[in-house]
Amino acid sequence: MKAAVVTAFGRPLHIEERPVPVAGPGQLIVRMQASGLCHTDIHAARGDWPVKPVPPFVPGHEGVGDVEAIGAGVSAEWLGKRVAIPWLAAACGHCRYCLTGWETLCERQLNSGYSVDGAFAEFAAAYARGVVEVPAGVSSLDAAPLTCAGVTTYKAIKVARVRPAERVAVFGIGGLGHLAVQYARIVGGLVTAVDIEPAKLELARQLGADHLVDARATDPVAEIHAIGGADVAVVLAATGKPFEQALQSLSRGGRLVCVGLPAGGVIPVPIFDTVLGGRSIIGSIVGTRQDLAEVFTLHAAGRTRVITQTRKLDDVNACFEEVLAGLVPARLVFEF
Ligand code: NAD
Ligand code: ZN
Ligand code: ZN
């Protein structure tokens, strides 16, 4: 089978012929139909974060395809099902986090395309206890971005506890941001979209954003305060500056939700303003299998639109450049 492999940090990925993986205990083998390119895959391939994957590894955690084989201990009911392989490849299932609906915080979790080989390949081995079935009303092309970009921003809006008529500023209208705009609207938020690329702001407008702020042309802090400040600011950019701007954009009682993971990112937090303004800073990491099932349900019901362009896995390195240059309308998806 064909796979895109990170052989060393910061080097182009290798397209390799590899044997189709064999299902170990608890695993199933998925024949990939669609596999999204998340900015996290770029961070992984560059070794951007303090906890690093070990090359060689196969990135990809927005994989969707059919189950072709199962390993020991896996129910035969899985065979032929269409499933999504998310970032959370598997959690332990019995720690205090797993038992209280916070499997995303499990300290013994495995991560697709990071600590275990992921979905940038024609086949992937996944854990039956980690995958989520894709309902018939969701195409594989749409399901792929929903599997990380969708579930992550859906969860971010949930943890922010957005109430109807609250002002939600979304910083970064990329793969994640184009879905965040929609989930913020679904719960009744008034959405301000912030990006540095006019084409991304135009997409946000088409997806229902109420206000647009071009952070390259104007100061987003002043623009957002001019309309009353943000009750919630969700930061989905892969650079540090928008985090500081988002914090400064909050009104009193505001919540900053950090989702983007820029290399070496640090936010200066003024204690006085945070205390007197009753502001919160929240970190949000992907979502649970249940969150993903809800994301699929909303999409099947016609509540969200997924904007994609398809590519071939052979072009993975050019695709990384496209994402980094800010040229991608929302999400690139490898089709198999
Ligand atoms: P993306 O490249 O598709 O989108 C990033 C967007 O930010 C682009 O539209 C870009 O134009 C915009 N941007 C860049 N600089 C900006 C600025 N100064 N102000 C406003 N917008 C700016 O990336 P993505 O796939 O959506 O991922 C975004 C980030 O989220 C990455 O760091 C990724 O690793 C992280 N991520 C986190 C989680 C999580 O669970 N916390 C899950 C998935 C991805
Ligand atoms: Zn991702
Ligand atoms: Zn656990």
Side-chain angles (χ1 to χ4, degrees):
M1 68 161 190
K2 188 181 286 187
V5 182
V6 175
T7 55
F9 294 132
R11 303 287 306 154
L13 278 68
H14 263 196
I15 301 294
E16 285 179 12
E17 266 309 311
R18 287 187 159 194
V20 173
V22 176
Q27 288 186 323
L28 27 82
I29 301 301
V30 178
R31 179 192 283 271
M32 216 63 66
Q33 293 176 359
S35 181
L37 196 184
C38 178
H39 208 119
T40 289
D41 298 311
I42 300 179
H43 293 304
R46 293 176 153 198
D48 273 349
W49 297 337
V51 178
K52 297 182 196 305
V54 182
F57 67 94
V58 177
H61 56 273
E62 289 187 346
V64 175
D66 291 330
V67 176
E68 279 214 350
I70 53 171
V74 177
S75 162
E77 285 176 17
W78 281 107
L79 286 168
K81 283 196 170 154
R82 194 166 53 116
V83 298
I85 305 175
W87 169 254
L88 193 61
C92 83
H94 35 74
C95 70
R96 55 186 278 224
Y97 304 110
C98 285
L99 291 177
T100 54
W102 284 99
E103 65 204 37
T104 48
L105 303 184
C106 177
E107 294 192 86
R108 289 167 56 201
Q109 67 185 270
L110 300 173
N111 297 118
S112 308
Y114 211 85
S115 60
V116 296
D117 279 342
F120 284 8
E122 287 170 322
F123 293 85
Y127 288 89
R129 69 178 197 274
V131 300
V132 173
E133 189 172 359
V134 182
V138 180
S139 72
S140 297
L141 187 57
D142 286 358
L146 292 173
T147 297
C148 177
V151 74
T152 299
T153 51
Y154 178 67
K155 187 68 163 191
I157 294 297
K158 267 189 172 179
V159 300
R161 299 177 183 275
V162 177
R163 293 183 295 272
E166 280 196 316
R167 294 195 183 281
V168 181
V170 178
F171 283 74
I173 310 297
L176 269 63
H178 92 288
L179 285 154
V181 166
Q182 300 178 65
Y183 296 124
R185 273 179 51 97
I186 285 172
V187 297
L190 302 170
V191 179
T192 299
V194 185
D195 206 292
I196 52 173
E197 298 291 339
K200 306 223 177 207
L201 294 170
E202 171 54 23
L203 175 61
R205 191 189 62 74
Q206 289 168 18
L207 296 171
D210 301 278
H211 299 99
L212 308 178
V213 176
D214 182 342
R216 201 173 261 156
T218 55
D219 172 16
V221 179
E223 292 275 323
I224 292 170
H225 279 294
I227 57 166
D231 298 301
V232 169
V234 185
V235 192
L236 309 166
T239 56
K241 194 173 172 197
F243 286 81
E244 194 173 343
Q245 293 171 330
L247 178 62
Q248 292 168 0
S249 303
L250 293 180
S251 53
R252 290 196 158 199
R255 289 89 79 198
L256 172 69
V257 186
C258 302
V259 176
L261 286 159
V266 174
I267 313 170
V269 179
I271 296 170
F272 187 82
D273 289 346
T274 306
V275 174
L276 270 78
R279 298 185 175 92
S280 312
I281 300 178
I282 304 167
S284 189
I285 178 74
V286 293
T288 63
R289 291 162 295 176
Q290 176 60 26
D291 293 319
L292 181 52
E294 292 170 17
V295 158
F296 286 151
T297 299
L298 284 171
H299 192 69
R303 301 297 171 90
T304 47
R305 277 174 63 200
V306 181
I307 308 298
T308 56
Q309 284 187 359
T310 58
R311 295 287 187 274
K312 293 290 161 217
L313 188 62
D314 291 301
D315 299 325
V316 61
N317 291 305
C319 293
F320 275 30
E321 295 308 319
E322 277 185 82
V323 173
L324 289 168
L327 298 174
V328 176
R331 208 37 141 205
L332 296 182
V333 178
F334 301 115
E335 257 192 335
F336 295 86

